[in-house]
Amino acid sequence: SSGINAEYGGAHVCGDALDMDPMYYHVLTGSWRRDNALQVWDFDSGRLIKNVPLQSQTSTDKAVCHLYCAKWAGSEFIACGGSDSNTMRLIEKSSLQTVGMLDGLNRGCYTVDYTESAGPTPQIVCASGPNVFFMNLTN
């Protein structure tokens, strides 16, 4: 097709799990799969930059989360959510550590969004089944 500059394979995106960082031209993908579900790609080369772990390095949490949504949440965070473990996570970009989590949802987390308009910490909203959850990240 005209207008397509390149095509890259690797992610298995099944929802609102594709976002682009306007500052660094990094692409965030959330995949509906067991391993390496959250990944960061270089837009220009299409190369995988890193796999983002879905649990902290010190956690014993091994729950699988097939991702339906992933979004850059401002300049410091990544928000993502999915099914199986039915969680929404907020991950710090610099450390790749989970710094916030909404778990125990009755259904998967199917979409997530954020705003920084109220200050430097994001306000997060996510949807799970018929419910919409509103959260503020606090220190």
Side-chain angles (χ1 to χ4, degrees):
S1 298
S2 63
I4 296 176
N5 295 331
E7 179 181 340
Y8 307 104
H12 185 77
V13 177
C14 290
D16 185 20
L18 182 66
D19 201 15
M20 195 160 165
D21 183 324
M23 179 177 270
Y24 298 106
Y25 297 105
H26 290 166
V27 177
L28 178 69
T29 59
S31 293
W32 200 84
R33 63 179 176 210
R34 176 174 293 278
D35 297 315
N36 300 323
L38 190 60
Q39 297 176 308
V40 179
W41 305 80
D42 178 69
F43 178 82
D44 291 325
S45 69
R47 291 187 179 152
L48 178 65
I49 296 172
K50 67 180 110 184
N51 291 301
V52 179
L54 290 180
Q55 67 273 344
S56 67
Q57 294 173 352
T58 59
S59 173
T60 58
D61 172 25
K62 298 296 182 195
V64 172
C65 190
H66 290 85
L67 295 180
Y68 281 107
C69 55
K71 183 170 280 285
W72 298 114
S75 60
E76 297 182 31
F77 301 98
I78 298 168
C80 65
S83 63
D84 286 343
S85 63
N86 296 344
T87 59
M88 189 283 302
R89 291 179 187 269
L90 192 66
I91 299 168
E92 187 179 48
K93 282 172 60 174
S94 62
S95 68
L96 300 182
Q97 296 293 304
T98 297
V99 295
M101 184 167 60
L102 178 63
D103 61 355
L105 301 170
N106 289 331
R107 296 188 182 158
C109 175
Y110 297 110
T111 189
V112 65
D113 206 356
Y114 78 98
T115 182
E116 289 183 288
S117 61
T121 57
Q123 296 173 316
I124 307 291
V125 61
C126 75
S128 173
N131 300 310
V132 177
F133 298 91
F134 300 84
M135 298 155 284
N136 290 315
L137 180 67
T138 57
N139 294 336

